[in-house]
Amino acid sequence: MNNTIQYTVDADGIATLQLDVPGRTMNVLTPELMEDLAGCLSRVTEDPAVRGAVLTSAKPAFMAGADLKDLVTAYDRGMTLEEGYRLSQTLSHTFRRLETCGKPVAAAINGVALGGGLELCLACHYRVLADDPGAKVGLPEVTVGLLPGAGGTQRLPRLIGIREALPLMLEGRQVGPEQALKLGIVHELAPADRVVERARRWVLEAGDPEAPWDKKGFRIPGGAGAMHPKAVETFMVGTSLLAGKAFHNYPAPKAIMSAVYEGTITPFDTGLRIESKYFAQLVSGVVARNMMRTLFVHKGEADKLARRPAGIAKSAVGKLGMLGAGMMGAGIAYVSARAGMEVSLLDTSIEAADRGKSYSRALLDKAVSRGKSTPEQAEAVLGLIKPTNDYADLDGCDLVIEAVFEDRGIKADVTARAEAVIAPAAIFASNTSTLPITGLAEASERPENFIGIHFFSPVDKMPLVEIIVGKKTSPEAIARSLDYVRQLRKTPIVVNDSRGFYTSRCFTTFTNEGMTMLAEGINPALIENAARMASMPVGPLAVMDEVTIELGYKIATQAEADLGDEYRPVSGFEVMRKMVEELDRKGKRYGKGFYDYPDNAPKRLWRGLAEHYPLAAEQPSADEVKQRLLVIQALETARCYEEGVLTDPADADIGSIFGWGFPPWTGGTLSFIDTIGVAKFVAECDRMAEAYGPRYEVSDWLRARADGGETFHPAA
Ligand code: NAD
C-alpha cells in the first residue's frame, strides 16, 4: 500500500517519486512515508527498466521535516536512549539506502525543504532548487532543541565544508535559492515549474550514482580533525562562541558540534551512528520536549487562533483607526498597512501624525535598500496610511486602537470622540500597558466592544500580541481582535484583566528582583551577568534603563494612588525612587541610569552605584542569582494562573518567551515549574521566602497542587 508517494516510471526509464502525504498541507516524515519510501526504493533498485529517479513533491512546499507533534510526547512516554537512537537510525538507513542504491537520484526541490526534508535531498546525488523567493532550505532543528538526525550533520559538512555548515546548523538558518547555490547546497536553480524537467535531464545526461563521500580519495572541503589547522580553528572559536551565547543552557548546539567533530574524522557510516547517538540524547531530554511543545506545537496552535471563541463568523479589518502616532501608534500603523489595511493615523496635530507616518517611511526605505521590498510595494504601503487630526477620518473603521499617553483622562476622552464617529459594531481597543481594561471601558458606551490589544515594542519586530478581556468584553470582540492579530501574522495570547495583565506584571518581577538585589549589596555586575547566564536577553538593570527607571517609578506611584491602602510597595520601589528623585539617573533616554552611556564606547555600569549601594561582604553564587531571577517570574505566573488572569498554560509559556524573553530552553514560565517539579519548586520558594522575603511566599492553592502532584501541563 502506497499512500504518501505517487510512483511512476516514464518511457526513458526514469522513476518519479512524488511526495504527497494525505491530509496535510506540508509533507512531513511520518512513519508511513518512510515505509513507502523504502518500498519505492526497492522498486527503483529491482526494476531493470528503471535508470534513475527524481524525487519531488505534489504540494507547494517540498517537505517540512519530522512530525514534531509526535516527538513532543516522547519525553512523557519515557523514551529511552535506545528508542531515540533507533528512531534516528531508521531515517538514516533509508536515506543511506537511497544514496547507495546504485542508480542516480535527483531531488527536484519545488519549494521549502527544511530539516528532514533537506536531509532527504542531501541524500540524493543531485539537487535542483526552485528559483523562487519562497523556496528556502535549512536545518532548523536546533531551534526546537534537536539536531538533524537523518544524516544532516554528516552530509552538509562533507558537502560544503565544516566552516560553512556549522553556523547553518547552530543557528538553524534558512537560506534562499541564490545562497543555497553559492554555498553549494544545491547544484542548480530553475523556475519552479521546470525543476522536475531539469532533474530528469541530469539523470539522463550525467547521472552519477555515487555520493562524493563514497568516492575513493574523498576529502572534506576545508579539512577536518584535530590536526587540521583550519578545522581546529573553527571548533575552537565555535566552542567559545557557543559558550558565550548559550551559557550551556542549550544541549543541542553542543551536540551538533560534537556530532560534526567526531563524525567527520570517522568513516561516513560511523558518522551516521554518532549522529544518532547525540540525537537520542536530545530527543529523550526535557529541554527539547519543552522547546518543541512551546515553540512549535503550542505556538502553532496559537497562530491558528486556538483560543478563538467558537461560532463567530470570520472577520477582517479593512480600515484601522490608530489614535496616537507616537512610538507605539506609528509601529502599529506600519504593521497594519503592511498587512494591507487602510489606516487613519490620528494625533493631536497633523504634524505629529505626519511624524508617525515617517516612521513607516524610514522602515520601508530600509526594506527597499535591503532588497526586501520594491519601491512600488513600499509606496503602496505608505499610500494606505493617512495622517490626520480629524476624528471624521475614523468613519468606516472596523477597529480603532488607542495608543495615546498612559493617562486615564486622555484615554477616556479619545474613546468618547472615536465612538461618536465609528459604527456601533466597530471594536475599540486600548494598547495600554498598565491600566486595567475594565476601568478604561467605563468611558465607553459599548463596553462589550471594548478590549485590550497589547503590542510590544518595537512593534514591527516583536511577534507577540496580548489580548486582554475586560469584564464586559464580548466573545465577538475577542474573536475579531484575534482575526486582526492573524492578519498581522503575529502570535496572540488571551488573558483576563488585571493590573499589568500577564506579561507586564510578571516581567516587572524580574526587573524588581534585580533592583532589590542591588539594594541588598549584590554586585551589579553579578546580577547582570547571572541574568544573561540564565539566557535572559538582557540584565534587569540594563532593561530598566531601556524602558526608563522613570517609567517604572511612574507606574508604581500610579498603582499606589489607585490602590490606596491595598497597595503593597514593590521591593525595588526605593531604588527607583532614589535613582529618579535623588540621583537624577532616569534611564538610557536621559543618557544615565544604572549604566553610563559614553558617546563612542559601549555602555558600562555606573561606578557611583558602589557608593549608594555598597557591596555586601558575602556575595551569592551566580547560580543562586540566576535561580532567584527565574523563580520569581515563574511564581508570579503561577499566581496569574491561580487568579484566572491566565486560563491556559500554553498562553503562559508563549507569552513569557515571546513577550519578554523568558529563556526558551525552559519552554516558558509554567513549563519551568513543571520541569523542576511543582513540589520542588514550592520547596525552593519556601527557602527563598525565608531568605529574601515574603514576595516568594506560595499560596495554599499552589501548595495543594504540589501536594497532589498536579502539573500545569498534563503529561502527554
Ligand atoms: P508616546 O508618548 O510615544 O506616544 C503617544 C502619542 O499619543 C503622542 O504622539 C501624543 O501626541 C499622542 N496623543 C496624546 N494625547 C492625544 C490625544 N488626546 N489624541 C490623539 N493623540 C494623542 O507613547 P507610546 O510609547 O507610543 O505609548 C502609547 C501607549 O502605548 C501608552 O498607553 C503605553 O502605555 C502603551 N504601550 C507602550 C509600550 C512601549 O514600550 N512604549 C508598549 C506597550 C504599550
Side-chain angles (χ1 to χ4, degrees):
M1 188 60 185
N2 188 346
N3 252 336
T4 62
I5 304 176
Q6 293 157 24
Y7 181 88
T8 50
V9 181
D10 67 15
D12 292 321
I14 297 184
T16 302
L17 282 66
Q18 200 175 36
L19 311 178
D20 195 3
V21 178
R24 305 245 193 183
T25 46
M26 276 268 196
N27 289 317
V28 281
L29 284 177
T30 58
E32 199 187 5
L33 176 79
M34 290 309 294
E35 215 171 281
D36 291 345
L37 182 61
C40 290
L41 280 177
S42 299
R43 289 168 76 175
V44 169
T45 36
E46 286 160 19
D47 185 347
V50 172
R51 297 170 60 170
V54 169
L55 216 74
T56 191
S57 153
K59 300 188 193 288
F62 182 83
M63 191 193 282
D67 189 356
L68 291 187
K69 262 197 179 147
D70 266 4
L71 290 184
V72 167
T73 60
Y75 178 82
D76 290 333
R77 281 189 277 114
M79 182 189 260
T80 60
L81 284 176
E82 271 156 310
E83 281 173 76
Y85 180 81
R86 242 181 290 128
L87 183 73
S88 162
Q89 280 285 291
T90 306
L91 300 177
S92 267
H93 269 147
T94 310
F95 289 6
R96 185 70 175 138
R97 256 190 73 204
L98 182 156
E99 190 170 49
T100 55
C101 74
K103 295 181 183 178
V105 183
I109 314 170
N110 53 316
V112 168
L114 298 176
L118 178 60
E119 290 179 287
L120 173 57
C121 298
L122 291 174
C124 295
H125 307 105
Y126 193 75
R127 286 164 291 280
V128 186
L129 175 62
D131 194 5
D132 184 304
K136 298 257 186 281
V137 298
L139 296 174
E141 287 84 349
V142 72
T143 59
V144 288
L146 293 176
L147 59 70
T153 66
Q154 301 307 303
R155 289 193 177 89
L156 196 62
R158 283 172 168 84
L159 187 66
I160 66 174
I162 294 170
R163 206 190 175 105
E164 302 289 359
L166 263 182
L168 286 178
M169 290 188 282
L170 291 174
E171 293 162 28
R173 207 181 332 135
Q174 301 173 19
V175 298
E178 206 177 307
Q179 219 193 338
L181 183 68
K182 199 167 140 212
L183 284 166
I185 300 174
V186 300
H187 299 87
E188 189 182 340
L189 302 182
D193 58 354
R194 308 274 300 273
V195 284
V196 172
E197 182 192 320
R198 297 284 186 83
R200 276 189 82 254
R201 195 195 305 163
W202 177 83
V203 175
L204 277 174
E205 292 174 2
D208 178 356
E210 205 175 20
W213 35 94
D214 287 326
K215 291 185 194 295
K216 217 169 166 211
F218 170 75
R219 282 184 185 282
I220 291 179
M227 303 308 286
H228 194 289
K230 283 268 180 266
V232 170
E233 188 189 306
T234 303
F235 282 105
M236 273 174 59
V237 175
T239 312
S240 53
L241 275 180
L242 201 68
K245 268 192 188 165
F247 296 104
H248 307 289
N249 293 322
Y250 295 88
K254 197 168 151 213
I256 290 172
M257 292 265 269
S258 301
V260 172
Y261 180 79
E262 294 169 36
T264 49
I265 52 174
T266 46
F268 187 77
D269 289 297
T270 311
L272 290 178
R273 286 196 293 276
I274 290 170
E275 175 187 272
S276 294
K277 183 186 81 174
Y278 284 110
F279 178 84
Q281 288 174 8
L282 296 177
V283 78
S284 60
V286 74
V287 172
R289 192 284 304 270
N290 284 344
M291 290 178 78
M292 285 189 281
R293 186 172 64 190
T294 302
L295 306 180
F296 183 80
V297 178
H298 287 162
K299 180 174 177 297
E301 288 166 0
D303 289 341
K304 289 191 187 128
L305 308 189
R307 306 286 313 283
R308 191 180 188 280
I312 292 160
K314 206 167 168 251
S315 69
V317 172
K319 181 174 174 185
L320 173 80
M322 187 64 239
L323 310 184
M327 185 162 104
M328 296 305 287
I332 299 167
Y334 169 74
V335 295
S336 302
R338 272 216 94 145
M341 292 167 228
E342 193 188 331
V343 182
S344 276
L345 179 58
L346 183 147
D347 209 295
T348 44
S349 68
I350 195 80
E351 293 74 25
D354 275 337
R355 267 199 304 279
K357 181 170 173 172
S358 9
Y359 179 76
S360 288
R361 187 168 289 117
L363 287 181
L364 287 163
D365 284 350
K366 210 192 267 175
V368 171
S369 70
R370 290 185 179 165
K372 293 198 167 149
S373 188
T374 65
E376 296 74 30
Q377 285 166 333
E379 273 315 307
V381 173
L382 272 181
L384 288 170
I385 304 175
K386 182 178 178 195
T388 181
N389 62 350
D390 183 356
Y391 278 79
D393 284 327
L394 299 182
D395 187 30
C397 285
D398 308 292
L399 168 69
V400 173
I401 303 177
E402 71 78 11
V404 298
F405 296 140
E406 190 76 337
D407 177 299
R408 231 183 283 278
I410 299 177
K411 288 193 189 293
D413 179 51
V414 301
T415 306
R417 283 169 181 243
E419 283 188 355
V421 179
I422 56 178
I427 305 293
F428 189 96
S430 173
N431 179 51
T432 175
S433 28
T434 54
L435 304 170
I437 291 299
T438 307
L440 293 180
E442 284 168 13
S444 167
E445 295 280 321
R446 317 148 185 162
E448 67 283 2
N449 287 359
F450 197 103
I451 196 165
I453 302 186
H454 180 209
F455 286 85
F456 296 77
S457 173
V459 178
D460 60 301
K461 296 224 173 72
M462 295 295 282
L464 191 80
V465 177
E466 187 177 26
I467 301 284
I468 302 126
V469 181
K471 275 222 170 66
K472 295 189 177 160
T473 307
S474 68
E476 177 161 356
I478 302 172
R480 286 168 59 190
S481 302
L482 285 169
D483 290 343
Y484 165 67
V485 177
R486 187 160 164 88
Q487 277 179 278
L488 301 179
R489 296 177 173 276
K490 291 194 181 282
T491 300
I493 59 168
V494 180
V495 309
N496 285 316
D497 205 7
S498 123
R499 185 165 289 274
F501 321 122
Y502 163 52
T503 53
S504 305
R505 173 172 159 181
C506 292
F507 176 60
T508 48
T509 62
F510 167 68
T511 50
N512 194 41
E513 202 58 25
M515 291 185 289
T516 308
M517 288 187 201
L518 180 71
E520 286 171 10
I522 298 180
N523 190 330
L526 174 58
I527 301 170
E528 295 292 86
N529 287 328
R532 299 288 315 283
M533 287 162 72
S535 293
M536 289 296 297
V538 207
L541 304 178
V543 86
M544 274 310 287
D545 269 8
E546 292 286 336
V547 297
T548 76
I549 307 168
E550 181 191 38
L551 178 66
Y553 181 54
K554 218 163 122 185
I555 292 170
T557 42
Q558 175 76 53
E560 188 178 17
D562 286 355
L563 296 176
D565 288 347
E566 278 177 40
Y567 177 68
R568 299 277 165 277
V570 291
S571 57
F573 182 84
E574 189 43 35
V575 174
M576 290 192 278
R577 193 201 57 74
K578 186 165 177 168
M579 290 295 283
V580 172
E581 296 209 340
E582 284 179 30
L583 304 172
D584 188 30
R585 298 191 68 95
K586 295 183 199 155
K588 186 178 171 187
R589 193 192 295 173
Y590 298 93
K592 50 188 180 170
F594 293 115
Y595 285 78
D596 276 326
Y597 298 89
D599 278 344
N600 295 315
K603 69 172 190 274
R604 54 168 186 250
L605 277 161
W606 176 44
R607 286 187 207 289
L609 282 178
E611 182 192 324
H612 296 281
Y613 300 101
L615 293 191
E618 222 176 291
Q619 293 289 315
S621 69
D623 276 346
E624 176 70 358
V625 178
K626 262 167 36 182
Q627 186 76 343
R628 270 179 79 171
L629 290 172
L630 296 180
V631 164
I632 196 79
Q633 298 174 71
L635 178 58
E636 195 65 20
T637 305
R639 289 181 186 132
C640 286
Y641 192 61
E642 176 183 356
E643 291 166 24
V645 173
L646 288 163
T647 55
D648 185 339
D651 279 339
D653 284 345
I654 293 170
S656 64
I657 293 178
F658 294 101
W660 78 83
F662 195 75
W665 62 266
T666 62
T669 39
L670 289 187
S671 285
F672 174 74
I673 301 182
D674 276 352
T675 302
I676 294 178
V678 185
K680 264 195 175 163
F681 180 80
V682 166
E684 189 69 343
C685 290
D686 287 344
R687 177 182 76 78
M688 288 186 173
E690 178 92 356
Y692 307 120
R695 63 193 176 285
Y696 283 98
E697 275 169 11
V698 302
S699 65
D700 292 344
W701 175 87
L702 188 57
R703 209 172 287 284
R705 269 187 107 88
D707 292 343
E710 224 180 315
T711 51
F712 288 95
H713 293 279

